[in-house]
Amino acid sequence: MHSTHRRLACAATVLISASASAQELLAVDATNDRIMLLSAVDGSLLNASFINLASGGGTPPGLPIQAISSGTGEIWVSDQHADVIHRWSSDGSTHLGEFGTSRDNIRGIHLDFGRLWVCNAGTANDSFGDALKEYDLSFNLIAAHPYSGSPFGIASLNGELIVTDITNDRLVRVDPATGSELGVLHDSDGISGVDFPGQLNKTQAGNLVTVGLVTPAGIFEYSPAGVQLNYFAAPTSGGPASPQGVHELLDGNFVVGAGNGLWLYNRAAGTWWTIVAGIDVNFISPRSGFVAPPSAYCTAGTSTNGCVPTLSAATNPSASGASACVLSVAAVEGQKQGLVFYGLDNTGFSPLPWSATSTSFLCVKSPTQLTVPHSSGGTNGACDGAFSVDWNAFLLAFPTALGAPFAPGDKLFAQAWYRDPPAPETTNLSNGLELTFVP
């Protein structure tokens, strides 16, 4: 590479990129059998009918409780009365089916530790009664773990599962390796403390938050040690009635699902505001599993022989290496050396001319990481050259590459470089490609 851009060759410093926060929430409207889409920043309503559950075919919706993103292109919706989990595409447009054997009276669902966890309370359909049911991500039942109370909501905390118990008004610790109970994180008296704890979620500070469905109704916040930190009371009028869902917004306030609507609680002011009135809203969860497919951006340069190479990928990279991702360069000059380089964060970056007279643009913000050089093959002087990068193989060979280890939601901004001796600066560049890591 030329000296002006020699920084590409020496940007090997590892930079750990923070996972992008989900900017949207899925709120379940049980009155109208729909999933609403909310802003995760301020709770504003983005789409009142993001998913119309009744339009999907299959088992009709009965009492939808929670919608979660699978991280693999689907949204899963638990249904307490239909005893199934409805499957929808991540953009909310297509019903993909359902799964529903050996379940009865299901409530909250949760994805972590490579498993789907389902709160089950009924005994019909060979469903084991009060149990935390463990499935692999192909919906095969691994185990039904007996639960000492009645499980309702579930979240992860410090390598454990925390499950709300509406019978004994507790937050119970569960070992995800064995499904056995490890003890009680918080034991409420159900009088001054939470009674009938509903959905459970983590806050940005790493605390746990739930809601009490009955008096004392409102929002309860606990430290990771189970110490109650805050109680934000729901007023007897002008506030949520029978709250059951809660999620902290990125602005620090809370959005609450209740039997009389969707509500916003302003933590600083101590006030409640209606977002949507007159509907029964259950759990509220991040749409974090929505991942856009790889997307081309920035214009490729034209080579000396009129080639306009393209960088593409059929799938996003997997943070765990569970699925393949190949970065493919096509229509590049034949018999030339080339490589793919990448960066992690293009925030505030505008493409830069590769040189004053070049048709190429640098589309990736520094710092950057080079992958392994390849020959394009093909015919000298023709545009039939090509090369590719197997992303999983690259990380296996270079485990300390820029950004590693990656997490779901992390970004990758990639571009191909190749030699073109007659061109300005003797090199040219492809388009840019934006990718997002999936689990």
Side-chain angles (χ1 to χ4, degrees), residues 261-343:
L262 181 68
W263 293 81
L264 177 70
Y265 178 74
N266 187 305
R267 186 197 291 254
T271 53
W272 293 90
W273 297 90
T274 306
I275 301 174
V276 182
I279 58 174
D280 181 13
V281 181
N282 286 319
F283 288 11
I284 304 159
S285 305
R287 192 189 173 202
S288 55
F290 172 73
V291 179
S295 175
Y297 70 98
C298 195
T299 305
T302 303
S303 75
T304 302
N305 290 298
C307 305
V308 182
T310 59
L311 173 63
S312 64
T315 58
N316 280 304
S318 164
S320 64
S323 56
C325 174
V326 177
L327 307 179
S328 300
V329 185
V332 70
E333 290 252 356
Q335 297 300 315
K336 296 295 190 291
Q337 186 185 53
L339 57 79
V340 172
F341 63 95
Y342 69 88

Side-chain angles (χ1 to χ4, degrees), residues 65-313:
I65 297 293
Q66 184 170 14
I68 65 172
S69 293
S70 72
T72 56
E74 297 187 13
I75 292 173
W76 298 341
V77 185
S78 63
D79 195 312
Q80 187 173 13
H81 289 175
D83 299 327
V84 300
I85 294 178
H86 309 282
R87 299 170 51 214
W88 287 78
S89 61
S90 60
D91 64 0
S93 66
T94 307
H95 179 248
L96 302 175
E98 61 192 41
F99 64 103
T101 59
S102 301
R103 276 183 294 279
D104 182 36
N105 192 359
I106 59 176
R107 291 93 171 253
I109 56 178
H110 182 63
L111 271 172
D112 204 354
F113 309 104
R115 297 287 188 265
L116 172 66
W117 307 88
V118 178
C119 294
N120 187 97
T123 58
N125 308 317
D126 298 320
S127 59
F128 304 99
D130 290 320
L132 185 60
K133 305 190 74 172
E134 179 183 357
Y135 295 84
D136 67 21
L137 301 190
S138 297
F139 315 124
N140 298 306
L141 178 64
I142 296 173
H145 306 289
Y147 189 70
S148 60
S150 184
F152 205 81
I154 180 171
S156 298
L157 179 71
N158 297 335
E160 299 175 358
L161 296 169
I162 309 299
V163 184
T164 59
D165 172 6
I166 60 175
T167 298
N168 302 297
D169 303 323
R170 306 178 301 174
L171 308 184
V172 179
R173 301 167 50 225
V174 173
D175 183 354
T178 64
S180 58
E181 295 180 19
L182 297 172
V184 176
L185 182 73
H186 181 84
D187 194 357
S188 170
D189 59 9
I191 300 173
S192 60
V194 67
D195 191 357
F196 205 115
Q199 183 177 14
L200 195 61
N201 261 316
K202 283 182 68 175
T203 69
Q204 297 169 78
N207 297 323
L208 287 171
V209 62
T210 189
V211 283
L213 185 73
V214 297
T215 304
I219 303 170
F220 293 81
E221 185 176 12
Y222 305 95
S223 74
V227 177
Q228 183 174 314
L229 302 174
N230 289 297
Y231 166 54
F232 306 110
T236 54
S237 63
S242 303
Q244 47 236 2
V246 62
H247 198 285
E248 185 188 41
L249 299 168
L250 296 179
D251 64 7
N253 296 321
F254 291 100
V255 62
V256 171
N260 64 342
L262 181 68
W263 293 81
L264 177 70
Y265 178 74
N266 187 305
R267 186 197 291 254
T271 53
W272 293 90
W273 297 90
T274 306
I275 301 174
V276 182
I279 58 174
D280 181 13
V281 181
N282 286 319
F283 288 11
I284 304 159
S285 305
R287 192 189 173 202
S288 55
F290 172 73
V291 179
S295 175
Y297 70 98
C298 195
T299 305
T302 303
S303 75
T304 302
N305 290 298
C307 305
V308 182
T310 59
L311 173 63
S312 64

Side-chain angles (χ1 to χ4, degrees), residues 1-46:
M1 293 186 179
H2 53 81
S3 58
T4 305
H5 299 284
R6 198 172 299 277
R7 64 182 179 274
L8 294 179
C10 56
T13 303
V14 174
L15 175 66
I16 304 300
S17 170
S19 297
S21 297
Q23 298 294 305
E24 296 170 335
L25 301 174
L26 302 166
V28 176
D29 171 6
T31 298
N32 297 294
D33 294 327
R34 64 183 181 176
I35 307 300
M36 301 181 291
L37 196 63
L38 314 178
S39 166
V41 177
D42 60 10
S44 56
L45 183 64
L46 302 177

